[in-house]
Amino acid sequence: MSSTHLHPIEQKLLLNLKKAGSASPQSLSRSSGLDINAVMRGLDWLSSKGLVEIEERHEELLRLGREGERYVRDGLPERRLAELLREGERSMGELQRLVPAGELGIAIGWLKRKGAVRIEGDKVSLVSDAVEEWPDERLLKMLASGALKSSQLPAELKGWVKALLRRKDVLRLEEEVERKVSLTPKGCELAEGVLEVGESIGQLTPELLKDERWRGKEFRRYDVLGEVAPATVAKRHPLTRLIDEISEIFISLGFREIEGPIVESGFWNFDALFVPQDHPAREMQDTFYLVEPGTARLPDERLMAEVAGAHENGGATGSIGWGYRWSKELAAHTLLRTHTTATTIRHLAKKERLPIKVFSIGRVFRKERISFKHLPEFHQIEGIVVGDVSFRNLLGVLKEFYASMGFEQIRFRPAYFPYTEPSLEVEVFFEKKGRWIELGGAGIFRPEVTLPFGIEHPVLAWGLGLERLAMLRLDLEDIRAFYRSDIEWLRSLPL
Ligand code: PHE
């Protein structure tokens, strides 16, 4: 290694150390004109190359706390009591009136400990009326003009430091590190070679090439092994990144993204999906209902009559329906959507030209108790395909999607949703745990859902959990991590 391998900061430091012998980082900063951070960084590099040695001495530093500052100004509570008692003995009752609440006990306690007070029955008096300066008062006075190193204190005050430290925020103990830097033999040798700093070129610029100033100069090499402080770059939240990745996948499969409101009506969230009005999922324990605004605008009467018909007796769908009286009021209740299927059915109602391939990724809300597994707010990945399609196409899309996410092994299990038939649950195999994990539901919309909207083709539909997928991807055990804003964790995630 020659000195031209070194960064100009390192060269400057070597040069200054050669002159000074050994020095503190502060004095190196003064002599080199480098700021203290640059000095510390440079010293770090030099020491990792074995060119300097840094000796560290830890010093205890004492300074006044907030209460200590007040005591310097107003005197210790026991000093104030002693002043009062100098005028003559007092009864406890009198003292309780004269001394601020909460201070009397402290003041008497310390006067006793300092052997300055006599208590006979109810009477409190001073042992002697010449109460000179106590050592702890002297200590506070010394600290009033600035922090002191513990090692610099006179021996007789050391015990009093302990006593004062026991009192709340009177003293603060800090640690100071003193560093002494010196050259190692290898550093000395190299320092000989450093003549003047600024002659080597670290970066070749167009200007240097144009006016040929590079001629005759030395070029500094890149030190790819040099230690540098970790750079924390801005990045997007892992969930946002996953959402973008998933959008890309669906778009590449020919899907279009749709959006829908988070504040929904019972109608779109449940009724339009043939969820009966007495279904447990609609209860207050499961769904967040809104107070303000309490009612939503409903679609036109004709459409509602179709949906009501499907619920009550099947209407024109060929079904016998649920067999109850459908209520418009319940349909008008506002709520936070419990699934993105509300957005899907809203879109279907627009009756676009077939085939339809759309997806959405959005927030949904359910009254869940917060735990490592559940949050009352999470995301779903939702989509539909409408056209000349079959159940097999549904399985194909899901397989394709999870394969793009890196899950090759998936399986389907029969399930039940009020709005699909057949219905299924998707599970992926998680290698690391050797377990199947359920990630979402899917199915083909029932005629009771589609016919009221005039849709006669099969609608393949799915709603998948985003957070669980993200947890598998990031190897997380606790779903709450996504919402904890733990900056260290967020920084540590690889891009
Ligand atoms: N909405 C269902 C859920 O939240 C998922 C689903 C969507 C099931 C579409 C079938 C069809 O669990």
Side-chain angles (χ1 to χ4, degrees):
M1 177 163 47
S2 91
S3 58
T4 50
H5 289 82
L6 297 174
H7 192 275
I9 292 177
E10 294 176 298
Q11 297 195 17
K12 268 193 194 169
L13 291 173
L14 281 189
L15 208 62
N16 280 280
L17 277 168
K18 189 170 77 177
K19 284 184 211 143
S22 69
S24 68
Q26 290 73 17
S27 74
L28 279 173
S29 162
R30 260 175 270 123
S31 63
S32 64
L34 293 168
D35 84 29
I36 189 72
N37 293 316
V39 170
M40 294 310 288
R41 206 156 7 109
L43 288 176
D44 217 36
W45 300 335
L46 289 170
S47 105
S48 69
K49 291 174 186 153
L51 301 176
V52 300
E53 203 167 46
I54 303 171
E55 215 184 296
E56 291 193 348
R57 256 213 357 246
H58 294 252
E59 277 279 2
E60 255 179 27
L61 210 60
L62 271 181
R63 77 172 73 245
L64 289 179
R66 215 182 262 281
E67 199 67 351
E69 279 166 11
R70 194 166 73 87
Y71 288 169
V72 166
R73 218 172 39 238
D74 307 337
L76 291 169
E78 63 266 33
R79 168 60 63 193
R80 275 174 273 148
L81 179 59
E83 290 302 326
L84 198 69
L85 292 174
R86 250 212 320 208
E87 296 155 15
E89 65 169 33
R90 298 277 189 174
S91 72
M92 277 294 184
E94 284 174 309
L95 290 180
Q96 257 151 18
R97 253 176 288 118
L98 292 165
V99 178
E103 241 180 42
L104 185 59
I106 300 174
I108 291 187
W110 281 98
L111 282 184
K112 269 203 244 167
R113 242 168 283 178
K114 289 173 177 173
V117 80
R118 190 169 31 229
I119 302 174
E120 280 160 347
D122 185 41
K123 297 280 176 243
V124 185
S125 59
L126 285 183
V127 170
S128 113
D129 33 314
V131 187
E132 349 120 33
E133 189 181 54
W134 292 306
D136 49 354
E137 288 178 309
R138 189 143 65 83
L139 187 58
L140 289 178
K141 233 187 256 167
M142 285 169 72
L143 290 170
S145 47
L148 286 176
K149 289 178 191 162
S150 289
S151 61
Q152 288 172 336
L153 289 177
E156 74 274 13
L157 287 184
K158 296 244 161 95
W160 288 96
V161 169
K162 273 211 197 122
L164 281 180
L165 278 171
R166 257 183 267 129
R167 302 176 76 157
K168 198 166 160 266
D169 205 19
V170 174
L171 290 191
R172 288 182 195 168
L173 202 54
E174 287 163 16
E175 197 185 45
E176 199 186 49
V177 187
E178 278 188 7
R179 296 186 176 82
K180 204 176 87 182
V181 188
S182 46
L183 290 172
T184 61
K186 197 163 133 205
C188 276
E189 210 176 289
L190 215 60
E192 289 305 316
V194 186
L195 297 174
E196 215 178 316
V197 184
E199 283 303 299
S200 65
I201 294 173
Q203 177 115 36
L204 196 57
T205 61
E207 288 71 33
L208 285 174
L209 286 174
K210 248 187 268 166
D211 56 24
E212 303 202 354
R213 263 189 296 134
W214 61 272
R215 284 189 191 282
K217 299 265 167 68
E218 281 204 75
F219 287 91
R220 189 155 44 80
R221 299 192 184 188
Y222 284 115
D223 180 0
V224 291
L225 298 176
E227 280 183 47
V228 289
T232 46
V233 295
K235 28 182 167 173
R236 275 169 313 142
H237 192 278
L239 276 186
T240 313
R241 275 193 272 150
L242 188 62
I243 288 173
D244 289 349
E245 192 183 333
I246 291 168
S247 303
E248 288 286 326
I249 291 174
F250 278 109
I251 287 166
S252 75
L253 292 174
F255 284 78
R256 197 159 52 78
E257 186 162 6
I258 57 169
E259 264 186 323
I262 281 171
V263 173
E264 262 298 1
S265 60
F267 182 81
W268 291 113
N269 196 81
F270 295 122
D271 296 283
L273 288 164
F274 197 52
V275 179
Q277 294 188 317
D278 63 354
H279 193 280
R282 297 183 74 145
E283 278 171 27
M284 294 250 273
Q285 297 93 286
D286 288 307
T287 299
F288 289 108
Y289 285 94
L290 267 68
V291 173
E292 188 66 53
T295 50
R297 225 183 302 126
L298 288 171
D300 65 79
E301 292 291 337
R302 231 186 23 139
L303 183 57
M304 269 200 306
E306 293 285 338
V307 170
H311 280 245
E312 292 186 346
N313 50 37
T317 65
S319 159
I320 57 164
W322 295 114
Y324 71 98
R325 260 200 76 69
W326 187 80
S327 141
K328 209 155 109 180
E329 282 70 57
L330 290 177
H333 275 182
T334 47
L335 49 84
L336 297 180
R337 72 175 171 203
T338 63
H339 54 183
T340 38
T341 318
T343 297
T344 297
I345 189 68
R346 263 183 187 276
H347 184 77
L348 264 185
K350 289 188 189 151
K351 297 198 65 180
E352 286 190 335
R353 275 231 328 264
L354 302 187
I356 298 172
K357 282 170 83 179
V358 293
F359 76 100
S360 68
I361 305 172
R363 280 197 284 170
V364 299
F365 306 82
R366 291 179 197 174
K367 265 200 176 165
E368 297 268 11
R369 189 183 287 277
I370 294 177
S371 75
F372 72 100
K373 252 168 111 173
H374 296 285
L375 290 175
E377 178 183 335
F378 53 100
H379 293 79
Q380 285 186 325
I381 309 157
E382 180 95 16
I384 46 168
V385 179
V386 193
D388 293 318
V389 285
S390 70
F391 190 61
R392 295 206 61 87
N393 296 119
L394 175 61
L395 307 188
V397 172
L398 293 170
K399 229 177 157 71
E400 187 71 29
F401 168 67
Y402 282 110
S404 321
M405 294 300 306
F407 295 96
E408 295 294 340
Q409 285 198 73
I410 81 169
R411 73 179 181 189
F412 305 107
R413 302 174 56 147
Y416 172 79
F417 301 100
Y419 33 93
T420 48
E421 180 60 35
S423 307
L424 63 90
E425 263 166 21
V426 201
E427 295 187 336
V428 302
F429 190 69
F430 190 45
E431 302 277 350
K432 235 180 124 178
K433 287 257 157 73
R435 267 203 296 133
W436 289 94
I437 293 171
E438 197 233 298
L439 286 186
I444 301 181
F445 278 165
R446 302 176 69 102
E448 291 95 325
V449 174
T450 51
L451 292 182
F453 294 95
I455 289 162
E456 296 185 354
H457 283 76
V459 178
L460 315 179
W462 56 89
L464 317 169
L466 175 78
E467 276 80 358
R468 279 234 208 138
L469 190 60
M471 284 167 77
L472 295 183
R473 274 293 205 83
L474 296 169
D475 200 8
L476 276 183
E477 296 285 343
D478 191 336
I479 192 168
R480 290 170 291 196
F482 292 121
Y483 295 96
R484 224 174 241 149
S485 304
D486 177 347
I487 199 84
E488 284 310 315
W489 175 68
L490 291 168
R491 278 180 177 158
S492 73
L493 291 176
L495 273 179

